[in-house]
Amino acid sequence: MSVPGLEPSASVLDAFRLSVAESVARILDISLDLAYSGADLGKKGFSPTEYIDRVTIDGVFAHCYSNTNKLNRFVLDQISELSKPTSTHLHGTYGTNSSGKGRTIIVEFLSPNIAKPFHADHLRSTIIGTFLSNLYAANGWSVVRMNYLGDWGKQFGLLAVGFAKYGSEDKLQASPIMHLFDVYVAVNKDAKEIFRRMKKGDEEMLALWRRFRDMSIKAYKTVYERLNVAFDVYSGESMVTSENIDTSMKCLRERDLLVEKYTWESKRDRDYKVEGTQPTDEKPAYAVDLSKWKMGKPVVQKADGTTIYMVRDIAGAMQRYEKYHFDKMVYVVGDQQDLHCSQFFKILEVMGAPCAGRLEHINFGKVQGMSTRNGEVKFLDEILDMAQEAMFTQMSTNEHKFSDVDDPTFTSDQIGMTCVKIQDMQAKRLCSVARKVADETVLRDDASTIDTDLLVEPKARELIFLLATFPDAVRMALKISEPSTIVTYCFSHLISAWETLIVKGQASEVAHARLYLFTCARVVLASAMRLLSLTPIERM
């Protein structure tokens, strides 16, 4: 018998839950699904099972008590077995499940515009997007990690004009992003003519654009690798085809969704006090009227006939659906785009697009006080370098431990990067337990010879139960799309037991049982950290 959503082979707690549900179903003569959903257990008729020792009644509640020895054995053995590498999972599969099997999701990350450095505002999107990608993969989904570059628009015109005036080939080769950024700041003037040439296919301008784009991506990859981030696709605004843009506009016209919109109306969108009338000599822009949903009238085509990024987003979503046939697509974009995303999703809905209803916006707050036009921005490389330097200095204060670290530069960079990603967290080092007892206790290869019944301390049971809940934490994190679920799991609970469950100096069998527990805890903590795109460090 089984219950949809339960996977005892992936989570021992599911086996215990199933055992309770089976007892309830038998006693009350109801279906297993109904029993699992929360039917109460009667006072009579219960008999102990392999998983459940006893049941007590407290008013309308029935409390089921698991068999502690069985729980210890099953949980630790499952972690040990499922943490072994496979052809598809380098670090094993414990904590993962197959609930999303056969479904595809695209996770789109906000990325810098080409030729602009990676800064802290982009970091938030990248961290959240990477976590969501890892999380959906852990829940069995097929994930397409898409880096959506701002690689089209008049900012390229600015660069083209600026590079001709202020550019240096030597500086471009030495540090492409920083040099192009300096050029951008210096020449922040109108460049509509250059972009017009690009849109008309001017090969000279397009060749320069392709060069800047390729050099930018190469530079971004260096930072992404440092952050333990990888992408399957480097997309961008330029990848949306003119054919799909034309098709989107045609659909809007055919469905009679376009309305005229004049300049004074756009000004009123920004300031409700503005009043005006329709001028006789002004050509209107075209918009989609979403007033009935309290979303205003977003413009999709300017008065001069050019489409804007709203249409590019609409066409891009439809283009991706044609290619990937995704079940879900998540846009990880700052909360300043809340209205835009709501409008964009609603327009797809009223167009009858097949991807409507499959899109989700995961937002985050903006880092204040940043302007690339004025050069007022803190670049991520600088932040990571400062964190790495601080960690390196701190590590070097303990000469004995510092000498044991194989690569202090890499280690300090990873620790510093972790601090940047997750502030105010402190992690104890479970790896050190095995090293400190290596002279007297080495974990046996055959775990079946380890007596887990000796793990009788309340703290041991608490830790084992917590390890058993890791698959639940992965499922819950998916429901709420929040890294905090896994962060709390890692750093508030999992690291507290090592101070009371001593291994060194204990009787051999007790030492082996505790070391087995700590080894499993280290494996689970490492898996949770990888979900957060953090690198577990052996020595620090």
Side-chain angles (χ1 to χ4, degrees):
M1 293 186 289
S2 64
V3 174
L6 293 187
E7 293 185 53
S9 62
S11 172
V12 163
L13 286 188
D14 281 356
F16 282 76
R17 296 182 182 111
L18 186 60
S19 180
V20 171
E22 288 172 345
S23 293
V24 172
R26 175 177 52 81
I27 293 168
L28 300 182
D29 193 25
I30 59 177
S31 70
L32 186 60
D33 284 356
L34 181 59
Y36 180 76
S37 69
D40 292 325
L41 184 65
K43 293 184 178 180
K44 297 181 180 180
F46 173 79
S47 57
T49 70
E50 182 180 17
Y51 300 99
I52 306 302
D53 268 347
R54 58 194 172 91
V55 175
T56 61
I57 305 301
D58 179 14
V60 297
F61 297 101
H63 299 282
C64 303
Y65 292 82
S66 63
N67 182 316
T68 296
N69 290 341
K70 292 292 186 182
L71 181 71
N72 293 355
R73 180 87 262 170
F74 291 163
V75 170
L76 297 183
D77 285 355
Q78 184 177 69
I79 293 171
S80 178
E81 182 62 29
L82 295 185
S83 64
K84 295 176 182 177
T86 70
S87 58
T88 56
H89 294 78
L90 179 62
H91 302 288
T93 60
Y94 185 68
T96 66
N97 63 74
S98 60
S99 60
K101 186 176 181 180
R103 306 179 73 187
T104 298
I105 182 171
I106 297 175
V107 182
E108 180 198 289
F109 298 52
L110 173 68
S111 183
N113 292 331
I114 61 169
K116 290 186 181 180
F118 196 106
H119 60 67
D121 211 23
H122 298 122
L123 174 65
R124 289 185 176 177
S125 172
T126 302
I127 290 174
I128 295 169
T130 300
F131 169 73
L132 291 174
S133 299
N134 294 343
L135 187 62
Y136 273 93
N139 282 274
W141 288 66
S142 174
V143 179
V144 179
R145 297 164 173 84
M146 183 174 291
N147 188 332
Y148 191 67
L149 296 168
D151 61 354
W152 199 246
K154 76 172 185 179
Q155 78 270 10
F156 176 76
L158 288 169
L159 283 172
V161 171
F163 192 74
K165 291 183 178 180
Y166 306 107
S168 164
E169 190 63 36
D170 290 340
K171 291 181 180 179
L172 182 66
Q173 293 296 332
S175 182
I177 294 296
M178 291 309 301
H179 181 55
L180 292 173
F181 173 73
D182 290 340
V183 168
Y184 182 83
V185 173
V187 73
N188 188 34
K189 298 177 182 179
D190 187 22
K192 290 183 179 179
E193 175 59 23
I194 296 293
F195 186 50
R196 185 190 64 78
R197 289 171 60 186
M198 284 175 58
K199 291 194 293 184
K200 289 196 170 185
D202 186 301
E203 187 53 41
E204 178 185 358
M205 291 297 100
L206 289 175
L208 192 59
W209 165 77
R210 283 191 289 267
R211 186 181 182 210
F212 288 172
R213 185 182 192 275
D214 291 345
M215 294 180 78
S216 295
I217 290 175
K218 184 177 180 181
Y220 296 151
K221 285 182 177 180
T222 302
V223 181
Y224 287 133
E225 288 172 4
R226 193 173 179 183
L227 290 168
N228 302 320
V229 172
F231 291 95
D232 301 303
V233 178
Y234 278 86
S235 183
E237 296 177 57
S238 64
M239 301 300 172
V240 181
T241 66
S242 57
E243 290 80 8
N244 278 298
I245 292 174
D246 292 343
T247 299
S248 299
M249 288 301 299
K250 180 180 179 182
C251 179
L252 289 170
R253 291 191 188 93
E254 290 177 346
R255 289 178 175 262
D256 199 26
L257 296 173
L258 296 180
V259 297
E260 295 181 346
K261 187 172 183 179
Y262 291 88
T263 302
W264 72 269
E265 294 181 90
S266 295
K267 291 179 178 178
R268 189 180 59 186
D269 288 345
R270 297 186 290 272
D271 183 356
Y272 71 93
K273 296 180 181 179
V274 172
E275 296 182 0
T277 57
Q278 178 177 325
T280 57
D281 59 347
E282 180 187 349
K283 292 183 63 176
Y286 286 94
V288 179
D289 189 356
L290 302 178
S291 300
K292 67 168 67 176
W293 297 283
K294 302 185 185 302
M295 296 182 193
K297 296 180 181 180
V299 173
V300 293
Q301 181 176 293
K302 295 180 181 179
D304 64 6
T306 59
T307 55
I308 64 172
Y309 65 96
M310 177 68 80
V311 177
R312 197 169 290 277
D313 283 346
I314 293 168
M318 297 172 70
Q319 183 174 310
R320 292 176 194 176
Y321 185 73
E322 290 175 5
K323 180 175 182 179
Y324 295 102
H325 303 288
F326 56 80
D327 298 280
K328 188 174 185 179
M329 180 159 63
V330 172
Y331 295 83
V332 185
V333 189
D335 55 13
Q336 64 270 28
Q337 295 294 327
D338 284 357
L339 178 59
H340 171 77
C341 288
S342 297
Q343 292 171 334
F344 154 42
F345 294 172
K346 180 57 70 174
I347 291 173
L348 282 168
E349 180 184 327
V350 297
M351 288 174 65
C355 59
R358 302 184 182 215
L359 311 182
E360 182 180 356
H361 175 207
I362 302 294
N363 66 5
F364 55 89
K366 181 176 175 61
V367 178
Q368 299 298 322
M370 292 188 175
S371 172
T372 53
R373 290 179 179 86
N374 299 325
E376 298 170 358
V377 62
K378 197 69 174 175
F379 299 136
L380 184 60
D381 272 338
E382 297 177 69
I383 297 172
L384 294 179
D385 287 344
M386 291 168 62
Q388 188 269 340
E389 183 178 349
M391 291 301 103
F392 191 92
T393 300
Q394 179 62 35
M395 288 167 55
S396 62
T397 59
N398 188 320
E399 294 183 6
H400 176 68
K401 288 187 175 181
F402 189 73
S403 63
D404 288 336
V405 178
D406 293 332
D407 189 342
T409 300
F410 171 79
T411 300
S412 60
D413 189 50
Q414 289 298 311
I415 298 171
M417 180 267 295
T418 298
C419 293
V420 170
K421 286 185 174 182
I422 305 177
Q423 300 178 29
D424 302 322
M425 294 191 309
Q426 296 178 349
K428 302 295 182 181
R429 298 180 292 280
L430 294 174
C431 292
S432 64
V433 175
R435 289 199 301 271
K436 289 177 179 178
V437 302
D439 59 335
E440 57 185 58
T441 306
V442 177
L443 191 65
R444 297 167 185 163
D445 293 333
D446 185 359
S448 65
T449 64
I450 298 173
D451 188 359
T452 56
D453 290 354
L454 297 175
L455 297 170
V456 296
E457 298 81 6
K459 180 59 73 173
R461 190 185 188 285
E462 177 187 336
L463 179 57
I464 290 171
F465 185 80
L466 188 63
L467 297 178
T469 64
F470 179 54
D472 290 348
V474 173
R475 292 167 179 161
M476 178 55 66
L478 185 69
K479 289 182 179 179
I480 63 176
S481 298
E482 276 289 348
S484 59
T485 303
I486 303 300
V487 172
T488 301
Y489 180 87
C490 286
F491 297 101
S492 296
H493 307 298
L494 195 56
I495 58 178
S496 62
W498 77 293
E499 294 171 339
T500 56
L501 297 174
I502 307 301
V503 176
K504 193 173 182 66
Q506 303 300 304
S508 176
E509 291 303 313
V510 172
H512 273 91
R514 291 180 178 177
L515 185 57
Y516 187 35
L517 170 56
F518 282 125
T519 300
C520 290
R522 177 174 61 84
V523 167
V524 174
L525 178 58
S527 296
M529 290 178 68
R530 290 187 187 96
L531 273 182
L532 298 167
S533 72
L534 304 177
T535 300
I537 299 295
E538 294 288 327
R539 287 180 180 269
M540 57 180 282

